[in-house]
Amino acid sequence: MDVETFELLRNTVSRFVSERLIPAEDEVEANDDVPEEIVQEMRDLGLFGLSIPEAFGGLGLSMVEEAVIIRELTRASVVFRSVIGTTVGIGSQGIVIDGTDGQKQEWLPKLAAGQAIGAFALTEPEAGSDAASIKTQAARDGDVYRITGTKRFITNAPRASVFTVMARTEPGTPGAAGISAFIVPADKPGITLGKPDRKMGQRGAKTCDVIFDDCIVPADAIIGGKPGLGFKTAMKVLDRGRIHIGAVALGMCDRLIEASLSYSSGRKQFGQRLADFQLVQGMLADSQTDALAAAGVVEQAARRFDAGQDVRLEAAVAKYFASEAVGRIADRAVQIHGGAGYMADYKVERFYRDVRLLRIYEGASQIQQLVIAREMLRRLTN
Ligand code: COS
């Protein structure tokens, strides 16, 4: 995108955050839902299409640009981002990265416009971190596959119009090589949703089980048309998603530091501002250092992604460092606010709970450590 158009988009999102989203945060928390008018405004701003190529009606942002916009957006509660998150990220990118032309033509324009909401169905009751051990079966039956299995904690499942579903298509092949990724419209017979999950935080973000019971899809619903490549598609989608989650953390870093600065420079104890105490300054400085370092690793990973280089290591570093950093910053924000930090009105306790998820979804911190170390060793021998 040219610099001027991009700046216009960025300023528009920044105004939307300040004028619409931040004032609506309490309503979202109270109702455990994002109002439909706000979802519509997000559609009108083109936010569902950030990552979808222009040829298919999206904004076609680079990863660096997407990270900047997501950082702006997540100065407001991360729950608003979750509405567009799966469509911008893991719910569309399998099709963008590995889809056939026909699959792109069919789905990307609808996803870009926010007419279709995408979701990503990998996790199962017995397969989380060990993604290659999924049990959901897709049995070939002539020209169709019959999908049976349960997917767990699926973000945006209640809103979704289409799922990317990872399922086993090769009965004799255990592990990653036996998995295919399917595009499954959410209104297919044989799909039911579990009851809404009750969560530690992120009220208004929707997750639940998705149960497939002999759900029939055509054989050409496999992403890319070839079976057995679904695990690799999922990993590529997650590499990109991990940079995106790094950017989500950055917006919350900004917000929590803003709140910490504003509270500590307004409140007085022992006759001076909290911010004038060196022990408080130590916390402010550590938070600023964490935030700048996180921004650095996220940007570096995004630049590498845009250059078409392998980002397995850098994406894992970005997600690992930024999600852990925002956890530390949220913890310090609560501490700097003292008793007020524990009270709902000041919102930092809510953000503290909300950002806890960033260290878990799209690969827990321990999975990122494993990916980083494996890649270090692989690059050593290559
Ligand atoms: N990009 C492309 N291909 C990849 C890849 C990537 N980032 N990561 C792995 N692959 C390929 C490997 O090269 C290997 O291919 P070959 O068999 O042709 O050599 C294949 O995929 C299997 O990879 P690997 O052996 O590394 O798989 P593992 O079972 O050891 O799993 C981890 C690797 C742990 C990294 C993976 O299971 C994972 O990321 N788990 C976390 C899942 C997750 O994030 N869940 C969150 C819920 S979804 S929101």
Side-chain angles (χ1 to χ4, degrees):
M1 195 176 261
D2 69 81
V3 178
E4 266 176 40
T5 317
F6 182 70
E7 278 312 307
L8 194 67
L9 174 67
R10 181 187 184 156
N11 290 334
T12 307
V13 172
S14 175
R15 252 200 335 275
F16 180 57
V17 164
S18 304
E19 292 170 11
R20 285 293 283 143
L21 301 188
I22 292 178
E25 282 172 346
D26 285 342
E27 182 190 346
V28 169
E29 180 74 4
N31 299 339
D32 195 7
D33 203 6
V34 176
E36 186 47 41
E37 312 88 78
I38 288 186
V39 177
Q40 187 55 43
E41 287 169 55
M42 289 172 140
R43 272 190 202 103
D44 297 342
L45 286 172
L47 295 181
F48 284 92
L50 293 180
S51 61
I52 293 176
E54 278 178 289
F56 298 103
L59 295 180
L61 297 190
S62 67
M63 197 67 229
V64 169
E65 290 168 339
E66 179 179 323
V68 169
I69 297 300
I70 293 299
R71 180 177 184 171
E72 283 293 345
L73 190 65
T74 51
R75 270 198 309 112
S77 157
V78 292
V79 172
F80 296 111
R81 194 285 322 182
S82 85
V83 174
I84 62 156
T86 53
T87 306
V88 169
I90 55 181
S92 70
Q93 292 304 305
I95 302 174
V96 172
I97 296 170
D98 281 340
T100 61
D101 285 345
Q103 289 168 341
K104 290 180 186 178
Q105 295 288 355
E106 182 178 358
W107 287 104
L108 296 185
K110 287 183 258 188
L111 290 163
Q115 286 162 1
I117 305 274
F120 183 74
L122 173 64
T123 300
E124 297 183 356
E126 288 173 61
S129 292
D130 185 5
S133 72
I134 57 165
K135 291 198 169 72
T136 295
Q137 294 287 337
R140 184 82 193 233
D141 182 3
D143 288 345
V144 301
Y145 281 93
R146 295 171 171 272
I147 304 179
T148 299
T150 297
K151 297 294 180 176
R152 182 137 292 173
F153 309 143
I154 304 306
T155 302
N156 277 330
R159 296 185 174 109
S161 5
V162 60
F163 295 105
T164 298
V165 182
M166 270 51 68
R168 311 204 76 84
T169 47
E170 320 300 308
T173 313
I179 296 172
S180 302
F182 288 87
I183 303 170
V184 184
D187 58 3
K188 281 264 175 207
I191 300 179
T192 48
L193 300 183
K195 60 181 177 12
D197 295 322
R198 294 171 60 239
K199 308 185 296 303
M200 173 194 267
Q202 298 214 9
R203 281 174 61 80
K206 304 285 178 192
T207 71
C208 67
D209 280 4
V210 182
I211 302 127
F212 296 88
D213 182 11
D214 200 24
C215 171
I216 298 174
V217 294
D220 65 7
I222 289 185
I223 291 183
K226 268 177 70 183
L229 301 176
F231 185 83
K232 289 184 185 174
T233 297
M235 289 300 119
K236 286 184 259 179
V237 166
L238 284 170
D239 281 342
R240 194 184 177 289
R242 287 166 185 168
I243 304 174
H244 178 107
I245 298 296
V248 172
L250 297 182
M252 264 291 125
C253 290
D254 294 339
R255 177 73 179 276
L256 286 157
I257 290 174
E258 216 175 279
S260 302
L261 262 181
S262 145
Y263 187 80
S264 62
S265 52
R267 179 165 166 89
K268 284 191 170 171
Q269 287 293 281
F270 302 102
Q272 63 177 10
R273 303 183 312 169
L274 290 184
D276 293 326
F277 289 98
Q278 289 186 339
L279 291 177
V280 173
Q281 290 179 349
M283 288 192 275
L284 290 171
D286 283 353
S287 290
Q288 186 62 71
T289 305
D290 266 336
L292 274 176
V297 289
V298 171
E299 188 180 336
Q300 202 184 337
R303 288 205 180 285
R304 251 183 101 94
F305 183 93
D306 289 338
Q309 292 171 305
D310 189 316
V311 293
R312 293 178 210 199
L313 182 147
E314 290 75 11
V317 168
K319 203 256 179 190
Y320 176 43
F321 189 82
S323 64
E324 294 282 338
V326 74
R328 293 190 290 270
I329 292 171
D331 187 65
R332 291 187 203 109
V334 171
Q335 199 66 18
I336 289 168
H337 281 70
Y342 204 71
M343 301 300 151
D345 283 353
Y346 290 81
K347 293 194 190 176
V348 288
E349 66 80 31
R350 184 191 308 166
F351 297 151
Y352 173 87
R353 288 181 287 108
D354 287 349
V355 300
R356 188 65 184 80
L357 183 58
L358 272 59
R359 289 157 60 190
I360 300 171
Y361 64 1
E362 300 201 23
S365 288
Q366 291 66 31
I367 289 296
Q368 309 309 333
Q369 289 175 302
L370 191 130
V371 171
I372 295 162
R374 274 191 190 184
E375 280 301 300
M376 289 166 69
L377 293 165
R378 196 174 64 92
R379 289 182 188 182
L380 187 70
T381 50
N382 280 353

